[in-house]
């Protein structure tokens, strides 16, 4: 399969210093809202990259479930590969790939676990099936077959009940969330002839310094 001829010419817009807000989170929220308004599929989907203490990286898609001045929030099984890597090395990176808008946002920062109250509040806002699935799946660990997963889910239904009338599903002991406090945020906008715009916020004391990177 020859991929050398697959390319797109970007030209939807540009990004310059006057377009930026003083605060990168405000800028991110603006672009996120524009992605939502444009009807992008799962605009809150992001690539989360983690690494072992030895520097061996891994990445996967997760969903952003909160953003604000204190950082980016997502939830997961903390005994999963990403959870064990973050426990050993909390430095991580996020990537928001908004291809239809010819945009991406890169985030570098440090993850810390969320408190139990915040985790429980989000867990109980999820559909009941997702709550039961969190009990049924030992995320990232080997499983014998699809039927074994189905059996684990059936046991969770039997244990906690399959509908909301059965009462509240408790938070699984391994399930939790993280807040990524950013140190670097890069806003990337595609341009013609691969002369893309790359504007980067970096922490500088109590504020942020902004610089342009060559594409």
């Amino acid at each position: 399969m020859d991929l050398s001829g697959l390319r797109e010419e970007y030209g939807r817009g540009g990004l310059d210093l006057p377009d930026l807000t003083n605060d990168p989170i405000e800028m991110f929220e603006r672009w996120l809202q524009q992605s939502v308004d444009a009807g992008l599929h799962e605009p809150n989907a992001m690539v989360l990259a983690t690494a072992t203490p030895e520097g061996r990286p891994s990445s996967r898609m997760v969903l952003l479930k909160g953003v604000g001045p204190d950082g980016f929030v997502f939830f997961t099984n903390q005994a999963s590969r990403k959870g064990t890597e973050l426990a050993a090395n909390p430095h991580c990176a996020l990537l928001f790939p908004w291809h239809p808008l010819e945009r991406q946002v890169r985030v570098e920062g440090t993850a810390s676990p969320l408190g139990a109250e915040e985790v429980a509040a989000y867990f109980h806002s999820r559909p009941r099936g997702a709550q039961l699935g969190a009990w049924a799946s030992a995320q990232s660990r080997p499983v014998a077959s699809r039927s074994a997963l189905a059996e684990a889910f059936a046991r969770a239904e039997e244990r906690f009940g399959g509908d909301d009338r059965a009462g509240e599903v408790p938070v699984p002991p391994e399930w939790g969330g993280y807040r990524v406090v950013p140190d670097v945020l890069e806003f990337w906008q595609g341009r013609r002839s691969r002369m893309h715009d790359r504007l980067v916020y970096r922490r500088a004391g109590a504020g942020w310094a902004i610089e342009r990177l060559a594409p």
Side-chain angles (χ1 to χ4, degrees):
M1 183 178 183
D2 183 8
L3 303 178
S4 62
L6 289 179
R7 62 175 56 88
E8 294 287 337
E9 182 69 282
Y10 300 140
R12 291 180 60 96
L15 183 66
D16 210 341
L17 288 173
D19 302 318
L20 300 182
T21 62
N22 291 329
D23 181 81
I25 299 299
E26 182 182 341
M27 184 68 190
F28 175 84
E29 290 176 324
R30 175 187 295 178
W31 271 23
L32 176 60
Q33 185 61 57
Q34 290 172 356
S35 299
V36 173
D37 294 342
L40 269 60
H41 177 66
E42 291 200 312
N44 61 325
M46 62 186 186
V47 179
L48 166 67
T50 58
T52 66
E54 296 75 35
R56 295 183 66 88
S58 64
S59 61
R60 73 290 289 161
M61 296 291 286
V62 298
L63 295 178
L64 178 71
K65 288 299 180 179
V67 61
D70 52 353
F72 298 80
V73 170
F74 68 94
F75 296 87
T76 188
N77 185 316
Q78 292 182 316
S80 65
R81 179 173 178 178
K82 64 180 107 41
T84 56
E85 289 184 357
L86 288 173
N89 175 11
H91 301 294
C92 63
L94 311 175
L95 171 66
F96 295 85
W98 295 323
H99 300 303
L101 299 182
E102 299 173 359
R103 290 175 173 175
Q104 57 180 310
V105 177
R106 295 178 54 253
V107 179
E108 299 172 21
T110 304
S112 58
L114 299 176
E117 289 186 7
E118 190 170 359
V119 168
Y122 174 72
F123 183 81
H124 292 127
S125 75
R126 304 175 86 204
R128 193 175 187 86
Q131 296 180 39
L132 296 174
W135 278 95
S137 174
Q139 193 177 95
S140 298
R141 281 155 283 184
V143 61
S145 63
R146 183 72 205 183
S147 61
L149 278 176
E151 290 168 5
F153 189 88
R155 289 194 297 271
E157 280 189 308
E158 182 178 359
R159 180 178 179 183
F160 300 113
D163 58 56
D164 292 336
R165 293 171 295 179
E168 186 174 271
V169 178
V171 179
E174 295 180 338
W175 202 86
Y178 297 88
R179 177 173 285 103
V180 178
V181 177
D183 298 311
V184 178
L185 294 94
E186 177 184 330
F187 293 82
W188 184 101
Q189 177 74 60
R191 285 270 204 165
R192 289 189 173 278
S193 302
R194 297 299 189 258
M195 296 299 287
H196 311 308
D197 292 315
R198 298 178 62 188
L199 296 178
V200 180
Y201 294 79
R202 299 184 190 277
R203 281 199 186 273
W208 297 88
I210 302 174
E211 63 183 355
R212 176 181 284 275
L213 302 182

